[in-house]
Amino acid sequence: MKTILLIEDDTALRENTAELLELSDYNVITSPNGKVGITKAKEEKPDIIICDIMMPEVDGYGVLEALSYDVNTNHIPFIFLSAKTEHKEIRKGMDLGADDYLTKPFEEDELLSAVESRLAKSALLSKVVKDQQFSTTTNTSEDNGLRNLHELKNFFDDHGEISEFKKGAVVYEEGEHSNNIYLILKGVVKSHKMDENGKELITTLYKTDDFLGFTSFIDNTPYLESATAVEDSELAGISKNNLKEILEKSKNISLELMELLTENLSEIKEQLLQMAYSSVRKKTAQTILQFADVLNKKPKDNIKISRNDLASVAGIATESLIRTLSSFKKDGLIEIEGRNIKILDLPGLQLVE
């Protein structure tokens, strides 16, 4: 049985998280703060550590730093828990050597997936060390200093060309040379195309920490769609040639990036199926929920988004969208104040057919 050290100062969250892990057959040791957590880590030598960032006594950064200097604990996989969504806070933790992070509140499957993947990676690395089988690809990756997708994002943040785009500003247009790949540091960006009738169709919404602008690395393919800032945004861009060099040196990053792009493709296919076969009411409800998720809004927070953008994502006429929003308002599902939409009944909106 694997042992997990959970360091969290919120009593309710600590107890609930520990219970979830125990139900999945993990042995869980808990600590109410960083100072006690450091002591327990050195005494118990757990298989993995899950640690909150903002805590009294010693914060999560301090815990990770202290354990990194100890040869008995510096190899233990470390996952941060953070209520913060600012990329700088997450980057700081990854720069210090954390293996992963979860943003609170998190779902049970997110927690278990993070733990299982980090334990699996740790076991694989241990086997490699014991067998002394270091491939040329691994050595090259270590020389380059980039080991995983988080470190690739750090590279974008540290070495990319930073650009700021006001709401409505064009990041790139369909048909332009696709010289750069971007990482969104702040804000939301939409990718969109125009149909033969001149109607805009939003294909994807990208949020903070998402990559943007992928095209072929082999052919000089132009951008196949346009990208525009939905709100004030900050992007870091590097050239496709630089990214290609990084991917050629690191098999691990290439595989993680391939998995990420596959997940994105699956989401786009799901959206297209919804646009093709769902009712206008369901399309509208799912689009509101999608914007709330991308904009990182909680229930009853205002969602400020243009009706045209909502209709474009849903794949319906603006007039149909407005009528459906009025219907939702009468049903008590949402509240409308000018351009702002507030979700009043989240479960009800999720069940709209």
Side-chain angles (χ1 to χ4, degrees):
M1 181 181 291
K2 298 293 185 181
T3 297
I4 299 175
L5 172 58
L6 174 61
I7 309 173
E8 169 62 60
D9 63 316
D10 185 313
T11 303
L13 180 59
R14 184 173 68 248
E15 292 177 350
N16 290 338
T17 304
E19 184 178 359
L20 288 175
L21 294 169
E22 287 169 347
L23 288 172
S24 296
D25 294 328
Y26 290 107
N27 177 41
V28 183
I29 304 167
T30 61
S31 171
N33 59 61
K35 185 176 181 180
V36 175
I38 293 171
T39 301
K40 288 193 174 184
K42 293 181 177 181
E43 291 176 350
E44 304 290 342
K45 297 181 180 59
D47 295 290
I48 190 169
I49 297 171
I50 302 175
C51 182
D52 189 20
I53 290 182
M54 305 306 294
M55 295 184 297
E57 300 286 341
V58 180
D59 63 15
Y61 305 131
V63 174
L64 178 57
E65 191 170 10
L67 298 180
S68 297
Y69 290 128
D70 190 323
V71 293
N72 294 314
T73 56
N74 60 12
H75 64 284
I76 300 174
F78 199 101
I79 299 176
F80 268 133
L81 296 180
S82 174
K84 296 191 174 184
T85 56
E86 293 87 349
H87 75 279
K88 293 293 184 184
E89 296 295 330
I90 295 171
R91 292 279 176 270
K92 182 178 177 181
M94 303 312 293
D95 285 339
L96 286 172
D99 296 278
D100 207 343
Y101 69 89
L102 289 169
T103 302
K104 297 184 284 189
F106 49 82
E107 299 293 333
E108 179 181 355
D109 57 347
E110 292 178 304
L111 171 67
L112 296 178
S113 175
V115 170
E116 289 167 2
S117 63
R118 291 306 144 190
L119 285 174
K121 182 178 179 181
S122 177
L124 180 62
L125 290 177
S126 296
K127 184 177 185 303
V128 169
V129 172
K130 288 177 182 178
D131 296 341
Q132 295 183 342
Q133 296 174 341
F134 294 97
S135 67
T136 303
T137 303
T138 303
N139 287 333
T140 307
S141 174
E142 290 175 351
D143 292 341
N144 190 52
L146 301 180
R147 298 168 298 175
N148 52 46
L149 205 55
H150 290 302
E151 292 190 1
L152 177 62
K153 291 179 179 180
N154 287 343
F155 182 86
F156 269 80
D157 200 355
D158 295 336
H159 303 288
E161 181 180 349
I162 308 300
S163 303
E164 295 183 353
F165 297 89
K166 293 292 185 182
K167 179 179 179 180
V170 175
V171 178
Y172 55 77
E173 291 187 337
E174 182 179 355
E176 290 182 355
H177 290 298
S178 55
N179 298 320
N180 296 319
I181 307 295
Y182 299 94
L183 175 70
I184 302 178
L185 305 180
K186 182 180 69 174
V188 176
V189 175
K190 65 179 181 180
S191 60
H192 52 99
K193 295 176 68 72
M194 302 292 287
D195 67 14
E196 57 186 13
N197 297 317
K199 180 182 177 181
E200 180 186 86
L201 173 65
I202 296 178
T203 53
T204 315
L205 291 171
Y206 297 94
K207 59 184 183 300
T208 300
D209 231 28
D210 283 348
F211 288 109
L212 175 71
F214 280 105
T215 57
S216 172
F217 284 100
I218 300 174
D219 300 323
N220 189 22
T221 307
Y223 289 118
L224 301 177
E225 55 192 6
S226 301
T228 303
V230 175
E231 58 183 35
D232 292 351
S233 302
E234 182 179 342
L235 278 65
I238 67 170
S239 72
K240 283 204 304 185
N241 289 334
N242 285 345
L243 181 57
K244 184 179 179 181
E245 290 177 4
I246 293 172
L247 297 179
E248 287 174 344
K249 293 176 181 179
S250 175
K251 179 180 178 181
N252 191 46
I253 293 179
S254 298
L255 291 174
E256 288 192 29
L257 188 58
M258 185 185 301
E259 183 178 355
L260 177 66
L261 294 177
T262 301
E263 290 175 359
N264 292 344
L265 184 59
S266 296
E267 291 174 1
I268 293 171
K269 287 181 177 179
E270 184 66 29
Q271 180 182 338
L272 291 174
L273 284 173
Q274 175 183 304
M275 291 171 60
Y277 298 111
S278 297
S279 67
V280 171
R281 283 176 60 84
K282 184 170 183 178
K283 290 178 185 177
T284 304
Q286 292 301 314
T287 301
I288 294 172
L289 294 170
Q290 183 180 355
F291 269 103
D293 177 58
V294 170
L295 296 172
N296 199 33
K297 298 295 186 181
K298 298 177 181 178
K300 300 193 177 179
D301 283 350
N302 283 327
I303 304 171
K304 188 173 183 179
I305 196 71
S306 75
R307 301 298 186 260
N308 286 336
D309 278 348
L310 281 170
S312 181
V313 171
I316 60 178
T318 305
E319 296 78 7
S320 298
L321 175 98
I322 292 173
R323 286 196 297 269
T324 307
L325 291 178
S326 298
S327 173
F328 286 175
K329 182 179 179 181
K330 291 178 181 178
D331 294 339
L333 298 174
I334 62 172
E335 182 179 289
I336 301 175
E337 295 179 1
R339 286 193 173 186
N340 292 332
I341 296 173
K342 183 184 295 184
I343 299 174
L344 299 180
D345 184 359
L346 180 60
L349 202 63
Q350 293 171 330
L351 294 173
V352 168
E353 294 294 338

